[in-house]
């Protein structure tokens, strides 16, 4: 398959996940999934509830230990690296449910993210330009913000670490469609800075609109890999719901 | 005048309770550890001041210069090793580990230093006092302890609200996993919180050792007062701890005013009243669980 975006960036992947398997106790949540993320591209991982999307992201961030397989970042195996060290290497996760620090203000939340930041274009000031409503509400506790605003703070908090790969988990969860649209408007602007984005989304339409490539999970296994423009709705539906897994299935990552 | 006397005495004792309790409050607030060995740590600080500090040829009144840094380091190391291992398992293990520490410390102190009472002798400084009126005298030492308690709480408050590390401590206390995702090594932050807690309990232990005689078993009773101060003020709130300590001190002195036997009772009545009316404490956070 061909790729249209990211021509000015190195062709070698920043993040490479190979044959990753993760168990929650007896349950196999992620089953031999392989994928890669390059600078300046968006890889969308879609799938139904319980397909293993969040577990996949959390394992890449270091919050779960894989049972098998490997996670490499810029050529180094980081499978055993602690979560906070992965952040310093350049992998940040915007967690599901936002997970803001409720007793801290907007600005303090972002500053915690900036504390172990690497070099890069994103700092507090850049965030205030990206989200113009923020400066005047920076001393408010995050509990006073709306869901969409909280999501923006969560994204800003992850961005100020200047990640090379940004992992975004279910950004649209619990938000109104108009708010989701606004949040998604920021993703191209992040990608423009050369950040690779790996996002997990239940909302397939949103994911397809923003993605360079799509990776569909079904019950922990890869059921479809492809470029949005080349995939038919029927193929995606089949991969998403598993009515016909064989149809349109590709083996491994398309790289 | 007798009432004023009682209240002032209560405030002075209470600020000692607050100094004693703030480490307990911090460790619970950040790590959710209930450190049952907290009182014994204060006693160990007292023994350290008596038996180690003379080796440095330092006047006993300056013993905190040696003991506080040692305790901060000890707190960090204990947190990163034993306590972290316990936290990684479950809260009940942590409770048992601190209980075990308490038993071990008490018995080691008994074994090494016998059950005889000890006290840190700062000479004539302890007996100097301020004659406010014919019926009211305030000892300088208890004023110093109160000033230290307020200064410690104030600097702790400033540290938590103004510095990057303080911000990380609050972030870890809110959501440990999210803090990790922000690049924070929460184990290191736990260590720092523990170092601060141990440093403050060392100060409290020295103050206690100067003002009264203490024994290997003195930790338990003081721990109870510290718990009461923390619960009355509200867990996790430093100013709450100060207020809790002062209110506890005042109600104990009021109790003692009626009969010396009612001193502890007075404090316990306030404690139970707060638990019944406002279980989260006067300054307690709403629990979001």
């Amino acid at each position: 398959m061909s790729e249209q975006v990211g021509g000015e960036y190195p062709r070698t992947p920043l993040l490479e996940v190979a044959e990753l398997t993760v168990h929650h106790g007896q349950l196999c949540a992620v089953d031999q999934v392989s994928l890669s993320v390059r600078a300046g591209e968006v890889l969308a991982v879609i799938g139904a509830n319980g397909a293993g999307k969040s577990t996949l992201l959390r394992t890449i961030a270091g919050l779960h230990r894989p049972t098998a397989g490997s996670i490499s970042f810029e050529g180094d195996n980081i499978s055993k690296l602690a979560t906070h060290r992965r952040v310093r290497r350049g992998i940040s996760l915007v967690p599901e449910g936002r997970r803001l620090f409720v007793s801290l203000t907007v600005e303090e939340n972002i500053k915690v993210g900036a504390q172990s930041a690497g070099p890069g274009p994103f700092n507090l000031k850049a965030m205030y330009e990206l989200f113009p409503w923020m400066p005047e509400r920076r001393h408010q506790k995050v509990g006073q913000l709306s869901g969409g605003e909280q999501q923006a703070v969560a994204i800003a908090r992850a961005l100020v670490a200047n990640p090379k790969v940004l992992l975004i988990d279910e950004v649209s969860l619990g938000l109104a469609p108009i708010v989701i649209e606004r949040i998604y408007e920021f993703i191209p602007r992040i990608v423009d800075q050369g950040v690779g984005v790996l996002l997990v989304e239940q909302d397939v339409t949103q994911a397809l609109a923003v993605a360079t490539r799509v990776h569909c999970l079904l019950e922990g296994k890869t059921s479809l890999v492809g470029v949005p423009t080349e995939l038919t709705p029927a193929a995606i539906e089949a991969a998403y719901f598993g009515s016909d897994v064989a149809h349109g299935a590709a083996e491994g990552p398309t790289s | 005048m007798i009432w004023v006397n009682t209240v002032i005495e209560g405030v002075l004792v209470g600020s000692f309770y607050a100094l004693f309790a703030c480490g307990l409050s911090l460790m619970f607030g950040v790590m959710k550890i209930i450190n049952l060995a907290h009182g014994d740590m204060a006693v160990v600080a007292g023994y350290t001041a008596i038996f180690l500090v003379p080796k440095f040829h330092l006047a006993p009144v300056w013993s905190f210069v040696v003991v506080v840094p040692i305790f901060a380091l000890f707190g960090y190391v204990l947190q990163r090793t034993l306590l972290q291992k316990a936290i990684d398992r479950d809260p009940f293990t942590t409770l048992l580990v601190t209980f075990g520490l308490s038993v071990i410390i008490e018995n080691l102190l008994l074994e090494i230093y016998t059950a005889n009472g000890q006290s840190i002798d700062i000479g004539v400084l302890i007996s100097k006092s301020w004659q406010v009126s014919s019926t009211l005298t305030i000892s300088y030492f208890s004023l110093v302890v109160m000033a230290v308690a307020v200064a410690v709480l104030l600097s702790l408050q400033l540290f938590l609200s103004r510095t990057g590390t303080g911000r990380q401590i609050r972030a870890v206390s809110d959501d440990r996993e999210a803090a990790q995702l922000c690049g924070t090594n929460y184990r290191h932050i736990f260590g720092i919180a523990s170092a601060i807690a141990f440093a403050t309990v060392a100060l409290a232990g020295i103050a206690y050792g100067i003002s009264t005689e203490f024994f290997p078993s003195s930790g338990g009773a003081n721990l109870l007062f510290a718990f009461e101060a923390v619960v009355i003020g509200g867990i996790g709130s430093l100013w709450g701890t100060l207020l809790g300590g002062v209110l506890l001190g005042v109600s104990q002195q009021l109790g003692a005013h009626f009969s010396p036997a009612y001193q502890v009772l007075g404090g316990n009545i306030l404690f139970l009243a707060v638990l019944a009316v406002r279980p989260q404490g006067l300054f307690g956070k709403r629990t979001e669980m």
Side-chain angles (χ1 to χ4, degrees):
Chain A
M1 277 174 207
S2 65
E3 296 203 20
Q4 316 298 325
V5 188
E8 62 204 280
Y9 300 109
R11 306 297 301 164
T12 51
L14 278 171
L15 176 72
E16 219 165 357
V17 172
E19 305 275 304
L20 195 72
T21 304
V22 190
H23 284 82
H24 286 314
Q26 293 289 310
L27 179 86
C28 184
V30 175
D31 195 358
Q32 296 186 36
V33 170
S34 298
L35 56 82
S36 62
V37 181
R38 291 178 191 74
E41 74 164 0
V42 181
L43 175 64
V45 176
I46 57 171
N49 240 339
K53 311 183 297 295
S54 286
T55 306
L56 174 67
L57 278 204
R58 289 170 57 85
T59 309
I60 296 171
L63 296 172
H64 294 308
R65 292 268 164 266
T67 2
S70 73
I71 305 162
S72 311
F73 189 70
E74 296 178 313
D76 301 327
N77 188 339
I78 57 158
S79 309
K80 290 196 163 64
L81 213 57
T83 301
H84 68 274
R85 294 200 189 282
R86 296 189 198 194
V87 177
R88 289 172 200 183
R89 281 294 310 258
I91 302 176
S92 286
L93 169 65
V94 181
E96 185 179 347
R98 308 188 273 274
R99 303 285 290 270
L100 295 176
F101 305 119
V102 288
S103 64
L104 274 59
T105 64
V106 171
E107 182 162 294
E108 285 176 331
N109 264 278
I110 299 173
K111 277 183 170 171
V112 172
Q115 217 141 332
S116 30
F122 300 113
N123 54 25
L124 192 62
K125 196 166 154 277
M127 289 306 110
Y128 286 167
E129 281 162 17
L130 194 63
F131 304 102
W133 58 268
M134 250 181 218
E136 89 183 52
R137 305 187 63 182
R138 66 183 191 274
H139 294 309
Q140 285 184 359
K141 293 274 164 70
V142 288
Q144 293 167 271
L145 304 181
S146 72
E149 289 163 343
Q150 288 185 7
Q151 189 59 267
V153 175
I155 292 172
R157 186 180 68 180
L159 267 185
V160 287
N162 280 305
K164 292 168 185 157
V165 170
L166 183 66
L167 314 172
I168 307 178
D169 197 356
E170 299 276 10
V171 81
S172 64
L173 207 70
L175 298 180
I178 177 81
V179 180
I180 298 171
E181 233 167 80
R182 243 179 259 154
I183 292 282
Y184 266 95
E185 278 170 17
F186 293 109
I187 290 177
R189 295 165 72 174
I190 296 165
V191 174
D192 280 347
Q193 300 287 334
V195 177
V197 174
L198 173 53
L199 68 86
V200 150
E201 190 55 86
Q202 278 191 54
D203 185 334
V204 178
T205 326
Q206 279 301 343
L208 292 182
V210 73
T212 321
R213 288 183 295 128
V214 181
H215 192 118
C216 189
L217 289 186
L218 179 70
E219 288 165 4
K221 292 190 178 70
T222 301
S223 58
L224 176 73
V225 177
V227 175
T229 48
E230 294 171 10
L231 295 171
T232 62
I236 293 170
E237 194 181 314
Y240 193 97
F241 295 109
S243 51
D244 182 9
V245 183
H247 176 75
E251 283 301 312
T254 56
S255 53
Chain B
M1 208 56 206
I2 197 92
W3 290 106
V4 177
N5 217 336
T6 307
V7 169
I8 288 176
E9 189 61 28
V11 170
L12 292 172
V13 175
S15 38
F16 165 73
Y17 291 155
L19 178 64
F20 191 87
C22 69
L24 194 72
S25 181
L26 187 70
M27 283 184 82
F28 184 80
V30 178
M31 293 159 263
K32 314 290 177 265
I33 289 182
I34 296 172
N35 183 10
L36 293 177
H38 189 76
D40 302 289
M41 295 301 173
V43 175
V44 173
Y47 277 95
T48 314
I50 290 173
F51 292 100
L52 182 70
V53 171
K55 293 190 169 43
F56 291 87
H57 304 291
L58 211 64
V61 72
W62 293 107
S63 50
F64 67 91
V65 177
V66 174
V67 180
V68 169
I70 291 176
F71 263 67
L73 188 68
F74 176 51
Y76 186 89
V77 172
L78 189 70
Q79 174 60 44
R80 291 302 299 264
T81 52
L82 189 64
L83 294 181
Q84 186 63 56
K85 285 266 185 303
I87 292 173
D88 289 342
R89 294 183 68 168
D90 61 81
F92 187 61
T93 307
T94 318
L95 199 64
L96 280 180
V97 164
T98 63
F99 181 66
L101 271 178
S102 164
V103 173
I104 291 169
I105 290 168
E106 246 174 67
N107 285 286
L108 272 181
L109 289 177
L110 261 179
E111 196 62 36
I112 302 171
Y113 299 112
T114 74
N116 292 341
Q118 306 282 351
S119 145
I120 304 169
D121 185 10
I122 58 167
V124 291
L125 289 173
I126 189 73
S127 53
K128 297 220 165 160
S129 61
W130 176 31
Q131 185 88 33
V132 183
S133 72
S134 60
T135 52
L136 181 60
T137 44
I138 301 174
S139 101
Y140 280 141
F141 183 72
S142 30
L143 274 181
V144 168
V145 170
M146 185 170 90
V148 168
V150 172
V152 163
L153 287 165
L154 196 66
S155 16
L156 200 47
Q157 182 73 45
L158 284 175
F159 173 74
L160 289 177
S161 60
R162 300 283 167 82
T163 67
T165 308
R167 198 160 51 225
Q168 282 179 314
I169 290 178
R170 287 182 292 143
V172 167
S173 160
D174 273 358
D175 190 331
R176 188 189 306 177
E177 200 175 83
Q180 281 175 273
L181 291 172
C182 289
T184 305
N185 180 3
Y186 79 92
R187 290 187 166 88
H188 176 63
I189 296 295
F190 276 9
I192 290 175
S194 193
I196 296 170
F198 275 58
T200 59
V201 86
L203 272 179
I206 292 167
Y208 187 70
I210 290 174
S211 59
T212 183
E213 196 174 40
F214 61 93
F215 307 88
S217 58
S218 295
N222 280 303
L223 180 69
L224 187 67
F225 295 149
F227 265 125
E228 291 187 338
V230 169
V231 170
I232 291 169
I235 282 169
S237 160
L238 289 172
W239 295 121
T241 301
L242 182 62
L243 185 72
V246 166
L247 289 178
L248 181 69
V250 170
S251 41
Q252 284 185 350
Q253 292 305 317
L254 288 177
H257 179 68
F258 291 107
S259 155
Y262 290 164
Q263 180 176 355
V264 177
L265 181 69
N268 287 349
I269 287 175
L270 173 73
F271 173 64
L272 290 176
V274 169
L275 270 188
V277 177
R278 203 178 151 80
Q280 75 272 39
L282 300 174
F283 279 65
K285 277 192 246 173
R286 294 162 287 129
T287 43
E288 313 209 351
M289 276 166 271

